[in-house]
Amino acid sequence: MANQTKVELFENLRQEMRRGSLIVAVLAQLREEHYGYALRKTLADHGLEIDENTLYPLLRRLESQGLLESQWREEDKRNKRFYLLSSAGHEILSQLLEEFLQLTTALNRITEGSAVLEPTK
Amino acid sequence: MELLNRYLQAVKFWLPKAQQDDIIAEVSEDLRSKAEEREAILGRSLTQDEWKLLLKERGHPLLVANRFLPQHSLIGPMLLPIYWFVLKIVLACGLIPGLAVGIGMMVLVPSHHPENSLLGTLWLTAINSIFFVTLAFAILERYHKNWLELWSPDWSPEKLPPVRNTRRIPRFSSSVELCVDLILAVWMIEAYGARILLDSSGVRIALTPTGSALLAGVAALTFANACVAAVNLARPYWTSTRHGVRAGIHWLAAILCLVVFRAGQAVVDITGPGIPSDQAPGITHWVNSTMSIILLSSIAIASVYAIFETRKALKRKTANQMADALVTVL
């Protein structure tokens, strides 16, 4: 397999793998109110970089699905849109976290002692 | 700042009207926050070049707008395989016969130039097929999201078709093929002996020497095909040899028709008291012209069959070789 193809393949798989995790992370972080830019910074501080072109459409989608609530408010003399997890969002988040935990546990068990997890020599 | 406004205007252009202002306000706020952060680090306002870099990092306006747009597909992933399947069948049925006859005419009749009309017809057929099939599937996708449940509401594994054994030859089809081939071969041999195809109601269709040669050849090939059908009846499993023999028969049939067609000679001669003598040459000419078209179609059909049979023979041979290799390894 050509190197370029390998890089592209890895990137596609990485994006696919991250997609679901990002939703959980965003929902979890929005248990406290944040506006878009601050949310992105907080997630980055926790080690989860997220592209603006992914985050803002995702926030809108989650809001349209009733998982988030938002309101425009002035802060530091500028209008900002603040997002907060809705009550439906809280319910879904706890279910998702439970599912995520089961998935992580299963993955840990599956990959335990596996050569794929050993550092490349 | 002017660059930022131009950028926001370009993004806005692609957004749905109802959400334009809301989205742009949020994108604008985000970009301003980012710029402020950089300005705080630098201790001064951003230059034109730094704004340019910041906006380029955010991406092309169309790309930014696109992420906010609902993702639509004309035909969804569930329907797509069925769409391709139907489209292939419709295109094959619409294009292959016309293409085969057209190419045959171009190659075999140098004076005939149907290129333009043929291409026009094929192009129209292809466009129409693609248009109507796509339209039908797009409507299905749009208005019947649950088409699978409508189509097959109580599916069960037991109702799925039984596993096909592609090697097995149905005895019924071999029997029918054998009977039809034998009847035809016997009739052709008799007609060849008498040099007459039909002699009744005052009409006599006699074979010319070219017609006799064609009939003899077709009779021999039909008899050969009957032999293959007899073997298939006794041992109803396809082998590469049998596919090969059938391919050979079809290739020979195509060559035979081609030779007779190229010779351009009359195949039959029509006479008899039932036909006015002044009309006999005209009728003979018309029948021979019709025979030419039949020959041309036969070349196309026999060639297609020959190609399929050759492919099957090669495929079966490769499969057998692989099976032998596997047995040896195990």
Side-chain angles (χ1 to χ4, degrees), chain A residues 46-74:
Chain A
H46 283 93
L48 198 67
E49 295 280 353
I50 178 167
D51 179 59
E52 305 95 325
N53 292 329
T54 304
L55 178 66
Y56 288 101
L58 173 65
L59 288 171
R60 278 173 182 274
R61 186 158 61 84
L62 294 173
E63 190 188 13
S64 72
Q65 288 167 340
L67 304 181
L68 299 180
E69 287 162 353
S70 77
Q71 56 169 327
W72 283 97
R73 213 169 53 228
E74 195 177 299

PDB file of all heavy atoms in Angstrom, chain A residues 46-74:
ATOM      1  N   HIS A  46      -8.499  19.827  27.498  1.00  0.00           N
ATOM      2  CA  HIS A  46      -8.614  18.440  27.994  1.00  0.00           C
ATOM      3  C   HIS A  46      -7.976  17.442  27.022  1.00  0.00           C
ATOM      4  O   HIS A  46      -8.098  16.239  27.207  1.00  0.00           O
ATOM      5  CB  HIS A  46     -10.093  18.077  28.189  1.00  0.00           C
ATOM      6  CG  HIS A  46     -10.681  18.669  29.426  1.00  0.00           C
ATOM      7  ND1 HIS A  46     -11.340  19.885  29.436  1.00  0.00           N
ATOM      8  CD2 HIS A  46     -10.699  18.237  30.716  1.00  0.00           C
ATOM      9  CE1 HIS A  46     -11.742  20.147  30.661  1.00  0.00           C
ATOM     10  NE2 HIS A  46     -11.365  19.173  31.463  1.00  0.00           N
ATOM     11  N   GLY A  47      -7.379  17.953  25.971  1.00  0.00           N
ATOM     12  CA  GLY A  47      -6.683  17.079  25.014  1.00  0.00           C
ATOM     13  C   GLY A  47      -7.533  16.658  23.838  1.00  0.00           C
ATOM     14  O   GLY A  47      -7.155  15.746  23.085  1.00  0.00           O
ATOM     15  N   LEU A  48      -8.692  17.279  23.661  1.00  0.00           N
ATOM     16  CA  LEU A  48      -9.560  16.902  22.543  1.00  0.00           C
ATOM     17  C   LEU A  48      -9.720  18.085  21.584  1.00  0.00           C
ATOM     18  O   LEU A  48     -10.572  18.946  21.789  1.00  0.00           O
ATOM     19  CB  LEU A  48     -10.929  16.459  23.081  1.00  0.00           C
ATOM     20  CG  LEU A  48     -11.771  15.659  22.102  1.00  0.00           C
ATOM     21  CD1 LEU A  48     -11.164  14.307  21.809  1.00  0.00           C
ATOM     22  CD2 LEU A  48     -13.168  15.458  22.673  1.00  0.00           C
ATOM     23  N   GLU A  49      -8.853  18.108  20.580  1.00  0.00           N
ATOM     24  CA  GLU A  49      -8.912  19.187  19.578  1.00  0.00           C
ATOM     25  C   GLU A  49     -10.120  18.939  18.680  1.00  0.00           C
ATOM     26  O   GLU A  49     -10.364  17.814  18.271  1.00  0.00           O
ATOM     27  CB  GLU A  49      -7.651  19.169  18.716  1.00  0.00           C
ATOM     28  CG  GLU A  49      -6.370  19.486  19.460  1.00  0.00           C
ATOM     29  CD  GLU A  49      -6.147  20.977  19.688  1.00  0.00           C
ATOM     30  OE1 GLU A  49      -6.934  21.772  19.134  1.00  0.00           O
ATOM     31  OE2 GLU A  49      -5.203  21.322  20.433  1.00  0.00           O
ATOM     32  N   ILE A  50     -10.859  20.006  18.412  1.00  0.00           N
ATOM     33  CA  ILE A  50     -11.996  19.864  17.495  1.00  0.00           C
ATOM     34  C   ILE A  50     -12.040  21.074  16.564  1.00  0.00           C
ATOM     35  O   ILE A  50     -11.929  22.208  17.008  1.00  0.00           O
ATOM     36  CB  ILE A  50     -13.328  19.645  18.269  1.00  0.00           C
ATOM     37  CG1 ILE A  50     -14.506  19.560  17.309  1.00  0.00           C
ATOM     38  CG2 ILE A  50     -13.574  20.688  19.314  1.00  0.00           C
ATOM     39  CD1 ILE A  50     -15.778  19.037  17.947  1.00  0.00           C
ATOM     40  N   ASP A  51     -12.183  20.766  15.308  1.00  0.00           N
ATOM     41  CA  ASP A  51     -12.186  21.799  14.277  1.00  0.00           C
ATOM     42  C   ASP A  51     -13.462  22.651  14.378  1.00  0.00           C
ATOM     43  O   ASP A  51     -14.540  22.114  14.644  1.00  0.00           O
ATOM     44  CB  ASP A  51     -12.127  21.045  12.932  1.00  0.00           C
ATOM     45  CG  ASP A  51     -12.144  21.979  11.770  1.00  0.00           C
ATOM     46  OD1 ASP A  51     -11.243  22.811  11.694  1.00  0.00           O
ATOM     47  OD2 ASP A  51     -13.071  21.877  10.937  1.00  0.00           O
ATOM     48  N   GLU A  52     -13.321  23.966  14.142  1.00  0.00           N
ATOM     49  CA  GLU A  52     -14.501  24.854  14.248  1.00  0.00           C
ATOM     50  C   GLU A  52     -15.580  24.439  13.253  1.00  0.00           C
ATOM     51  O   GLU A  52     -16.783  24.510  13.556  1.00  0.00           O
ATOM     52  CB  GLU A  52     -14.154  26.317  13.919  1.00  0.00           C
ATOM     53  CG  GLU A  52     -13.030  26.927  14.712  1.00  0.00           C
ATOM     54  CD  GLU A  52     -11.714  26.824  13.983  1.00  0.00           C
ATOM     55  OE1 GLU A  52     -11.494  25.811  13.280  1.00  0.00           O
ATOM     56  OE2 GLU A  52     -10.875  27.738  14.118  1.00  0.00           O
ATOM     57  N   ASN A  53     -15.154  24.011  12.088  1.00  0.00           N
ATOM     58  CA  ASN A  53     -16.130  23.643  11.044  1.00  0.00           C
ATOM     59  C   ASN A  53     -16.864  22.342  11.380  1.00  0.00           C
ATOM     60  O   ASN A  53     -17.797  21.952  10.686  1.00  0.00           O
ATOM     61  CB  ASN A  53     -15.435  23.506   9.694  1.00  0.00           C
ATOM     62  CG  ASN A  53     -14.947  24.836   9.198  1.00  0.00           C
ATOM     63  OD1 ASN A  53     -15.556  25.869   9.478  1.00  0.00           O
ATOM     64  ND2 ASN A  53     -13.827  24.840   8.492  1.00  0.00           N
ATOM     65  N   THR A  54     -16.376  21.651  12.409  1.00  0.00           N
ATOM     66  CA  THR A  54     -17.077  20.462  12.890  1.00  0.00           C
ATOM     67  C   THR A  54     -17.936  20.838  14.086  1.00  0.00           C
ATOM     68  O   THR A  54     -19.088  20.410  14.196  1.00  0.00           O
ATOM     69  CB  THR A  54     -16.059  19.371  13.300  1.00  0.00           C
ATOM     70  OG1 THR A  54     -15.229  19.104  12.184  1.00  0.00           O
ATOM     71  CG2 THR A  54     -16.731  18.103  13.767  1.00  0.00           C
ATOM     72  N   LEU A  55     -17.350  21.653  14.979  1.00  0.00           N
ATOM     73  CA  LEU A  55     -18.026  21.955  16.243  1.00  0.00           C
ATOM     74  C   LEU A  55     -19.339  22.721  16.054  1.00  0.00           C
ATOM     75  O   LEU A  55     -20.383  22.308  16.582  1.00  0.00           O
ATOM     76  CB  LEU A  55     -17.084  22.753  17.152  1.00  0.00           C
ATOM     77  CG  LEU A  55     -17.708  23.167  18.493  1.00  0.00           C
ATOM     78  CD1 LEU A  55     -17.999  21.946  19.354  1.00  0.00           C
ATOM     79  CD2 LEU A  55     -16.810  24.130  19.243  1.00  0.00           C
ATOM     80  N   TYR A  56     -19.301  23.825  15.307  1.00  0.00           N
ATOM     81  CA  TYR A  56     -20.509  24.659  15.220  1.00  0.00           C
ATOM     82  C   TYR A  56     -21.684  23.941  14.539  1.00  0.00           C
ATOM     83  O   TYR A  56     -22.804  23.977  15.064  1.00  0.00           O
ATOM     84  CB  TYR A  56     -20.185  26.008  14.558  1.00  0.00           C
ATOM     85  CG  TYR A  56     -19.372  26.886  15.497  1.00  0.00           C
ATOM     86  CD1 TYR A  56     -18.010  27.017  15.349  1.00  0.00           C
ATOM     87  CD2 TYR A  56     -19.980  27.550  16.555  1.00  0.00           C
ATOM     88  CE1 TYR A  56     -17.256  27.787  16.223  1.00  0.00           C
ATOM     89  CE2 TYR A  56     -19.244  28.328  17.441  1.00  0.00           C
ATOM     90  CZ  TYR A  56     -17.875  28.442  17.271  1.00  0.00           C
ATOM     91  OH  TYR A  56     -17.151  29.197  18.139  1.00  0.00           O
ATOM     92  N   PRO A  57     -21.463  23.269  13.408  1.00  0.00           N
ATOM     93  CA  PRO A  57     -22.594  22.509  12.838  1.00  0.00           C
ATOM     94  C   PRO A  57     -23.091  21.416  13.789  1.00  0.00           C
ATOM     95  O   PRO A  57     -24.287  21.153  13.867  1.00  0.00           O
ATOM     96  CB  PRO A  57     -21.998  21.889  11.564  1.00  0.00           C
ATOM     97  CG  PRO A  57     -20.872  22.792  11.204  1.00  0.00           C
ATOM     98  CD  PRO A  57     -20.302  23.260  12.500  1.00  0.00           C
ATOM     99  N   LEU A  58     -22.154  20.813  14.553  1.00  0.00           N
ATOM    100  CA  LEU A  58     -22.545  19.764  15.502  1.00  0.00           C
ATOM    101  C   LEU A  58     -23.434  20.352  16.604  1.00  0.00           C
ATOM    102  O   LEU A  58     -24.466  19.765  16.967  1.00  0.00           O
ATOM    103  CB  LEU A  58     -21.284  19.117  16.102  1.00  0.00           C
ATOM    104  CG  LEU A  58     -21.512  18.112  17.225  1.00  0.00           C
ATOM    105  CD1 LEU A  58     -22.254  16.888  16.719  1.00  0.00           C
ATOM    106  CD2 LEU A  58     -20.188  17.672  17.844  1.00  0.00           C
ATOM    107  N   LEU A  59     -23.051  21.521  17.102  1.00  0.00           N
ATOM    108  CA  LEU A  59     -23.853  22.172  18.141  1.00  0.00           C
ATOM    109  C   LEU A  59     -25.269  22.447  17.643  1.00  0.00           C
ATOM    110  O   LEU A  59     -26.251  22.225  18.353  1.00  0.00           O
ATOM    111  CB  LEU A  59     -23.184  23.477  18.578  1.00  0.00           C
ATOM    112  CG  LEU A  59     -21.901  23.323  19.406  1.00  0.00           C
ATOM    113  CD1 LEU A  59     -21.203  24.666  19.592  1.00  0.00           C
ATOM    114  CD2 LEU A  59     -22.181  22.687  20.763  1.00  0.00           C
ATOM    115  N   ARG A  60     -25.360  22.919  16.415  1.00  0.00           N
ATOM    116  CA  ARG A  60     -26.684  23.214  15.842  1.00  0.00           C
ATOM    117  C   ARG A  60     -27.513  21.943  15.683  1.00  0.00           C
ATOM    118  O   ARG A  60     -28.713  21.936  15.923  1.00  0.00           O
ATOM    119  CB  ARG A  60     -26.527  23.879  14.476  1.00  0.00           C
ATOM    120  CG  ARG A  60     -26.262  25.313  14.633  1.00  0.00           C
ATOM    121  CD  ARG A  60     -25.924  26.035  13.368  1.00  0.00           C
ATOM    122  NE  ARG A  60     -25.664  27.403  13.754  1.00  0.00           N
ATOM    123  CZ  ARG A  60     -26.579  28.335  13.878  1.00  0.00           C
ATOM    124  NH1 ARG A  60     -27.831  28.071  13.576  1.00  0.00           N
ATOM    125  NH2 ARG A  60     -26.275  29.546  14.281  1.00  0.00           N
ATOM    126  N   ARG A  61     -26.834  20.891  15.258  1.00  0.00           N
ATOM    127  CA  ARG A  61     -27.550  19.624  15.058  1.00  0.00           C
ATOM    128  C   ARG A  61     -28.078  19.099  16.399  1.00  0.00           C
ATOM    129  O   ARG A  61     -29.229  18.684  16.506  1.00  0.00           O
ATOM    130  CB  ARG A  61     -26.620  18.600  14.407  1.00  0.00           C
ATOM    131  CG  ARG A  61     -27.308  17.302  14.025  1.00  0.00           C
ATOM    132  CD  ARG A  61     -26.551  16.564  12.940  1.00  0.00           C
ATOM    133  NE  ARG A  61     -25.197  16.188  13.330  1.00  0.00           N
ATOM    134  CZ  ARG A  61     -24.905  15.090  14.017  1.00  0.00           C
ATOM    135  NH1 ARG A  61     -25.851  14.264  14.381  1.00  0.00           N
ATOM    136  NH2 ARG A  61     -23.657  14.809  14.331  1.00  0.00           N
ATOM    137  N   LEU A  62     -27.208  19.141  17.413  1.00  0.00           N
ATOM    138  CA  LEU A  62     -27.623  18.638  18.730  1.00  0.00           C
ATOM    139  C   LEU A  62     -28.756  19.488  19.298  1.00  0.00           C
ATOM    140  O   LEU A  62     -29.650  18.968  19.968  1.00  0.00           O
ATOM    141  CB  LEU A  62     -26.415  18.624  19.684  1.00  0.00           C
ATOM    142  CG  LEU A  62     -25.304  17.636  19.317  1.00  0.00           C
ATOM    143  CD1 LEU A  62     -24.091  17.819  20.219  1.00  0.00           C
ATOM    144  CD2 LEU A  62     -25.792  16.199  19.409  1.00  0.00           C
ATOM    145  N   GLU A  63     -28.711  20.788  18.997  1.00  0.00           N
ATOM    146  CA  GLU A  63     -29.786  21.665  19.473  1.00  0.00           C
ATOM    147  C   GLU A  63     -31.096  21.326  18.754  1.00  0.00           C
ATOM    148  O   GLU A  63     -32.151  21.227  19.377  1.00  0.00           O
ATOM    149  CB  GLU A  63     -29.424  23.131  19.241  1.00  0.00           C
ATOM    150  CG  GLU A  63     -30.409  24.048  19.952  1.00  0.00           C
ATOM    151  CD  GLU A  63     -30.233  25.502  19.610  1.00  0.00           C
ATOM    152  OE1 GLU A  63     -29.513  25.816  18.641  1.00  0.00           O
ATOM    153  OE2 GLU A  63     -30.834  26.330  20.301  1.00  0.00           O
ATOM    154  N   SER A  64     -30.998  21.104  17.437  1.00  0.00           N
ATOM    155  CA  SER A  64     -32.222  20.781  16.686  1.00  0.00           C
ATOM    156  C   SER A  64     -32.780  19.423  17.110  1.00  0.00           C
ATOM    157  O   SER A  64     -33.974  19.164  16.948  1.00  0.00           O
ATOM    158  CB  SER A  64     -31.954  20.798  15.176  1.00  0.00           C
ATOM    159  OG  SER A  64     -31.176  19.689  14.829  1.00  0.00           O
ATOM    160  N   GLN A  65     -31.931  18.574  17.670  1.00  0.00           N
ATOM    161  CA  GLN A  65     -32.410  17.265  18.155  1.00  0.00           C
ATOM    162  C   GLN A  65     -32.944  17.360  19.589  1.00  0.00           C
ATOM    163  O   GLN A  65     -33.353  16.350  20.168  1.00  0.00           O
ATOM    164  CB  GLN A  65     -31.264  16.244  18.091  1.00  0.00           C
ATOM    165  CG  GLN A  65     -30.922  15.836  16.658  1.00  0.00           C
ATOM    166  CD  GLN A  65     -29.608  15.070  16.561  1.00  0.00           C
ATOM    167  OE1 GLN A  65     -28.770  15.137  17.464  1.00  0.00           O
ATOM    168  NE2 GLN A  65     -29.423  14.367  15.463  1.00  0.00           N
ATOM    169  N   GLY A  66     -32.871  18.554  20.146  1.00  0.00           N
ATOM    170  CA  GLY A  66     -33.433  18.789  21.478  1.00  0.00           C
ATOM    171  C   GLY A  66     -32.494  18.421  22.610  1.00  0.00           C
ATOM    172  O   GLY A  66     -32.914  18.360  23.772  1.00  0.00           O
ATOM    173  N   LEU A  67     -31.223  18.162  22.300  1.00  0.00           N
ATOM    174  CA  LEU A  67     -30.288  17.765  23.362  1.00  0.00           C
ATOM    175  C   LEU A  67     -29.615  18.974  24.009  1.00  0.00           C
ATOM    176  O   LEU A  67     -29.073  18.871  25.110  1.00  0.00           O
ATOM    177  CB  LEU A  67     -29.225  16.815  22.804  1.00  0.00           C
ATOM    178  CG  LEU A  67     -29.750  15.549  22.117  1.00  0.00           C
ATOM    179  CD1 LEU A  67     -28.619  14.679  21.617  1.00  0.00           C
ATOM    180  CD2 LEU A  67     -30.628  14.756  23.082  1.00  0.00           C
ATOM    181  N   LEU A  68     -29.627  20.091  23.288  1.00  0.00           N
ATOM    182  CA  LEU A  68     -29.022  21.327  23.815  1.00  0.00           C
ATOM    183  C   LEU A  68     -30.032  22.454  23.766  1.00  0.00           C
ATOM    184  O   LEU A  68     -30.962  22.430  22.958  1.00  0.00           O
ATOM    185  CB  LEU A  68     -27.797  21.726  22.974  1.00  0.00           C
ATOM    186  CG  LEU A  68     -26.610  20.782  22.886  1.00  0.00           C
ATOM    187  CD1 LEU A  68     -25.539  21.385  21.997  1.00  0.00           C
ATOM    188  CD2 LEU A  68     -26.031  20.489  24.268  1.00  0.00           C
ATOM    189  N   GLU A  69     -29.787  23.450  24.638  1.00  0.00           N
ATOM    190  CA  GLU A  69     -30.562  24.698  24.560  1.00  0.00           C
ATOM    191  C   GLU A  69     -29.550  25.813  24.371  1.00  0.00           C
ATOM    192  O   GLU A  69     -28.412  25.702  24.834  1.00  0.00           O
ATOM    193  CB  GLU A  69     -31.324  24.919  25.877  1.00  0.00           C
ATOM    194  CG  GLU A  69     -32.497  23.969  26.037  1.00  0.00           C
ATOM    195  CD  GLU A  69     -32.995  23.866  27.455  1.00  0.00           C
ATOM    196  OE1 GLU A  69     -32.341  24.431  28.371  1.00  0.00           O
ATOM    197  OE2 GLU A  69     -34.024  23.199  27.653  1.00  0.00           O
ATOM    198  N   SER A  70     -29.971  26.863  23.668  1.00  0.00           N
ATOM    199  CA  SER A  70     -29.004  27.953  23.482  1.00  0.00           C
ATOM    200  C   SER A  70     -29.686  29.304  23.625  1.00  0.00           C
ATOM    201  O   SER A  70     -30.906  29.411  23.446  1.00  0.00           O
ATOM    202  CB  SER A  70     -28.366  27.847  22.108  1.00  0.00           C
ATOM    203  OG  SER A  70     -29.254  28.312  21.125  1.00  0.00           O
ATOM    204  N   GLN A  71     -28.879  30.292  23.952  1.00  0.00           N
ATOM    205  CA  GLN A  71     -29.402  31.670  23.981  1.00  0.00           C
ATOM    206  C   GLN A  71     -28.278  32.655  23.695  1.00  0.00           C
ATOM    207  O   GLN A  71     -27.128  32.433  24.077  1.00  0.00           O
ATOM    208  CB  GLN A  71     -30.056  31.972  25.327  1.00  0.00           C
ATOM    209  CG  GLN A  71     -29.157  31.763  26.523  1.00  0.00           C
ATOM    210  CD  GLN A  71     -29.771  32.344  27.798  1.00  0.00           C
ATOM    211  OE1 GLN A  71     -30.475  33.348  27.761  1.00  0.00           O
ATOM    212  NE2 GLN A  71     -29.505  31.714  28.921  1.00  0.00           N
ATOM    213  N   TRP A  72     -28.649  33.729  22.988  1.00  0.00           N
ATOM    214  CA  TRP A  72     -27.679  34.793  22.703  1.00  0.00           C
ATOM    215  C   TRP A  72     -27.644  35.713  23.921  1.00  0.00           C
ATOM    216  O   TRP A  72     -28.693  36.103  24.440  1.00  0.00           O
ATOM    217  CB  TRP A  72     -28.111  35.601  21.477  1.00  0.00           C
ATOM    218  CG  TRP A  72     -27.836  34.894  20.179  1.00  0.00           C
ATOM    219  CD1 TRP A  72     -28.713  34.158  19.467  1.00  0.00           C
ATOM    220  CD2 TRP A  72     -26.607  34.872  19.458  1.00  0.00           C
ATOM    221  NE1 TRP A  72     -28.119  33.660  18.331  1.00  0.00           N
ATOM    222  CE2 TRP A  72     -26.812  34.094  18.308  1.00  0.00           C
ATOM    223  CE3 TRP A  72     -25.341  35.423  19.675  1.00  0.00           C
ATOM    224  CZ2 TRP A  72     -25.813  33.860  17.371  1.00  0.00           C
ATOM    225  CZ3 TRP A  72     -24.342  35.193  18.746  1.00  0.00           C
ATOM    226  CH2 TRP A  72     -24.582  34.412  17.610  1.00  0.00           C
ATOM    227  N   ARG A  73     -26.422  36.046  24.363  1.00  0.00           N
ATOM    228  CA  ARG A  73     -26.281  36.926  25.527  1.00  0.00           C
ATOM    229  C   ARG A  73     -25.032  37.775  25.364  1.00  0.00           C
ATOM    230  O   ARG A  73     -24.066  37.327  24.739  1.00  0.00           O
ATOM    231  CB  ARG A  73     -26.156  36.046  26.775  1.00  0.00           C
ATOM    232  CG  ARG A  73     -26.770  36.671  28.001  1.00  0.00           C
ATOM    233  CD  ARG A  73     -26.885  35.723  29.165  1.00  0.00           C
ATOM    234  NE  ARG A  73     -25.646  35.071  29.515  1.00  0.00           N
ATOM    235  CZ  ARG A  73     -25.546  33.759  29.712  1.00  0.00           C
ATOM    236  NH1 ARG A  73     -26.590  32.980  29.546  1.00  0.00           N
ATOM    237  NH2 ARG A  73     -24.397  33.231  30.063  1.00  0.00           N
ATOM    238  N   GLU A  74     -25.071  38.958  25.951  1.00  0.00           N
ATOM    239  CA  GLU A  74     -23.883  39.815  25.800  1.00  0.00           C
ATOM    240  C   GLU A  74     -22.869  39.478  26.888  1.00  0.00           C
ATOM    241  O   GLU A  74     -23.222  39.307  28.050  1.00  0.00           O
ATOM    242  CB  GLU A  74     -24.300  41.286  25.898  1.00  0.00           C
ATOM    243  CG  GLU A  74     -23.195  42.204  25.375  1.00  0.00           C
ATOM    244  CD  GLU A  74     -23.610  43.661  25.380  1.00  0.00           C
ATOM    245  OE1 GLU A  74     -24.589  43.984  24.680  1.00  0.00           O
ATOM    246  OE2 GLU A  74     -22.954  44.451  26.086  1.00  0.00           O
TER     247      GLU A  74
END
